[in-house]
Amino acid sequence: MPFYSLKDFESFGDVAAEDDAVLEYFLSTKAVSRIEKREAFLVLGRKGTGKTAIVRYLTESKKSKLSKSLNLRGYPWKVHASRIDHGASDIEAYVSSWRYLIAVELAIMVASYNKDSPTNDTKLLSKFLTDNYGGNSPELSDILRPTKLKIEKFSLQPSIMGNQLGSVSLDREGAKDHKFGLELNALSKSIFDAVAKISTELRLGPLSLHFDELDQGLSEIESSRSKMLIGLILAARDIKREGNREFGAINPVVYLRTDLWDDLQFSDKNKISQSQTLHLGWNPESLLELIEARLRVKLKKKASWNNISEPALMRGSQSKWNHILARTFLRPRDVIQFLNIALKESKKRKVEPVVFSNKDIVNSRDEYSLYLKQELDDEIRPHWSYWDEALQTCSALSTIVFDRKSFEREYARRRTAANMLGSEKALSMLYRFSVIGYEKRSGYGGSSWAFQYTDPEAGWDNSANRFKVHLGLKEYAKLRENRG
Ligand SMILES: Nc1ncnc2c1ncn2[C@@H]1O[C@H](COP(=O)(O)OP(=O)(O)OP(=O)(O)O)[C@@H](O)[C@H]1O
Ligand SMILES: [Mg+2]
């Protein structure tokens, strides 16, 4: 294998799809084709597993005007929270407001599709949008903002039991008004009907909306936020089902962090996760493909991992690639981050050709470990802001493998009064985010480490006695290997 020097190779890409040139080397996985075939409307993945990358691929790379990304960063959740439907059950309190929001987004999409030769229905939708939002394409954050929606006579004509609505008030000033949902649903229905007519007339393809970054600005999970998330999921499911037709099939897709989904509780949850949900997952092979795709675009057409790394194995006869992967949660972001640090290390040596040596990999671990801790902060803090106390407990135990008794003892010393989790709950929480794994005994006297991210079927074992901290945290937590 010839070496290809990384001397002029800038980086393996940005760790966030927003800032990464991901479309130049996007890896189209099975998950992507399932979303394209409209087999799922809910896409779940941990942080850094590629949700935004998929959204960008499906909304930017194809020239389709009928696929739009809806980014909830900076979304006015407080405004939305006040658009509550007191006539619906607690869990469905936000379904009508999301239905309306989706209806408006579809109206924007089809109204702009044939701007130049508008049909009658297009004109009606444009008129509605302009009357209420001052233009044809309001921002996502403004859709629920008006206090009152005006509906002109002889236009969309929403009605309830034969009575036409002249307007729908969105701001009910705290009054527990049971008509809110009814009226808003009637308005949404007339918008959906107009969209369906236009779609059929113009023989449109599927209309896709991709909801991303639902976790932004989330420091803790309040109950109204959970209800709004559930409302969006239920609205998306219903609308997809109702809008399943030959032309202009409606395809809303919700991208959600797995940890947020795990905390939601509602009656159809199981059904949804079994049939119409996609879990983003990676393995050593697909991650290698992802990295090599970047090498081929940014370095040399035929470049592979072996062209940029020395063949010598690391301690324990481990390959460099496996050594790196063992420190990740098998997420693209972790791998890209590790390699960017290793690249810096490699260049520092000023030896040509610039390729990865074992030492570069070892020297990258400190900085990488800090990165991993910070990613975990983002994930765990909204659920448990005191998780540091548990990690500090692991540090105090000083070895990577520890037993339950020692953890209980040290945790009790460090746990502050405001930290609600006792040691048993703390351990299960650490397991949930794969900070630790537990020792699983097998029938033949052997044992293995069960981590949530590699072995999700194993489940948490409340009676486990021995635990192991994830290798990626070894440096941050200043842990050493156990002897023997
Ligand atoms: N299919 C893919 N092909 C190429 N690169 C990918 C792919 N999926 C993810 N990546 C890369 O992995 C990194 C993380 O992906 P991304 O930012 O999409 O994660 P995310 O799930 O949106 O994370 P977060 O929950 O933090 O928003 C980015 O650099 C992205 O470009
Ligand atoms: Mg993202």
Side-chain angles (χ1 to χ4, degrees), residues 29-289:
T29 56
K30 235 196 227 137
V32 179
S33 68
R34 284 196 60 199
I35 301 170
E36 286 186 297
K37 282 192 246 157
R38 289 183 275 129
E39 290 175 4
F41 75 90
L42 182 62
V43 180
L44 301 177
R46 267 187 93 164
K47 258 190 126 261
T49 48
K51 298 179 292 296
T52 303
I54 297 178
V55 172
R56 287 199 56 194
Y57 173 74
L58 294 176
T59 56
E60 293 175 33
S61 69
K62 320 242 161 131
K63 291 132 288 220
S64 172
K65 284 191 198 157
L66 301 177
S67 192
K68 182 174 176 185
S69 146
L70 299 175
N71 190 324
L72 281 286
R73 182 179 289 263
Y75 186 70
W77 291 100
K78 281 227 171 77
V79 175
H80 198 143
S82 69
R83 298 336 189 200
I84 187 165
D85 177 3
H86 291 287
S89 70
D90 204 30
I91 272 314
E92 304 202 345
Y94 291 104
V95 175
S96 52
S97 49
W98 283 114
R99 278 184 83 85
Y100 172 71
L101 181 139
I102 293 174
V104 170
E105 283 296 344
L106 296 171
I108 297 170
M109 201 181 253
V110 295
S112 68
Y113 189 78
N114 65 333
K115 254 195 276 182
D116 304 330
S117 49
T119 66
N120 192 37
D121 290 285
T122 313
K123 284 182 200 152
L124 292 184
L125 290 179
S126 296
K127 178 92 174 73
F128 173 80
L129 292 173
T130 318
D131 284 350
N132 288 292
Y133 301 104
N136 241 336
S137 50
E139 296 287 327
L140 176 68
S141 54
D142 288 334
I143 292 177
L144 292 177
R145 221 185 276 280
T147 48
K148 192 174 193 167
L149 299 166
K150 291 168 271 178
I151 308 154
E152 246 198 20
K153 268 205 183 123
F154 312 111
S155 64
L156 286 168
Q157 304 194 339
S159 65
I160 296 176
M161 316 237 294
N163 296 319
Q164 271 200 37
L165 297 173
S167 66
V168 174
S169 151
L170 284 181
D171 186 10
R172 306 262 161 156
E173 281 154 7
K176 297 211 165 176
D177 189 332
H178 288 241
K179 285 209 200 101
F180 173 83
L182 267 182
E183 293 180 10
L184 198 56
N185 283 341
L187 172 58
S188 303
K189 181 175 183 310
S190 53
I191 299 176
F192 283 129
D193 288 347
V195 168
K197 271 173 78 182
I198 299 168
S199 302
T200 309
E201 254 168 71
L202 302 177
R203 307 169 86 78
L204 295 183
L207 312 176
S208 300
L209 297 173
H210 302 271
F211 291 87
D212 191 20
E213 305 220 15
L214 288 154
D215 50 275
Q216 276 305 312
L218 193 68
S219 55
E220 59 182 292
I221 296 150
E222 328 117 57
S223 80
S224 70
R225 187 72 168 261
S226 303
K227 277 178 211 156
M228 283 186 273
L229 290 181
I230 295 169
L232 172 59
I233 291 163
L234 295 177
R237 178 194 61 181
D238 297 349
I239 290 170
K240 183 177 162 138
R241 194 192 284 148
E242 296 155 17
N244 186 12
R245 52 181 174 242
E246 189 181 2
F247 298 111
I250 304 177
N251 181 37
V253 189
V254 179
Y255 298 75
L256 196 61
R257 248 166 54 185
T258 317
D259 57 300
L260 299 185
W261 170 253
D262 288 343
D263 271 4
L264 299 181
Q265 279 167 16
F266 60 103
S267 58
D268 281 349
K269 183 174 172 183
N270 214 11
K271 225 166 45 190
I272 291 176
S273 77
Q274 309 233 318
S275 55
Q276 302 187 67
T277 303
L278 218 149
H279 298 264
L280 295 181
W282 296 82
N283 56 42
E285 294 75 39
S286 55
L287 286 169
L288 186 62
E289 267 185 70

Side-chain angles (χ1 to χ4, degrees), residues 12-18 20-22 25-29 32 45-54 212-213 215-216 257 280 282 290 294 331-333 336 375:
F12 286 84
D14 195 281
V15 290
E18 286 83 352
D20 191 22
V22 58
Y25 31 68
F26 183 79
L27 189 69
S28 194
T29 56
V32 179
R46 267 187 93 164
K47 258 190 126 261
T49 48
K51 298 179 292 296
T52 303
I54 297 178
D212 191 20
E213 305 220 15
D215 50 275
Q216 276 305 312
R257 248 166 54 185
L280 295 181
W282 296 82
L290 179 141
R294 286 165 194 247
R331 306 182 291 198
R333 179 172 297 151
I336 295 169
E375 282 291 290

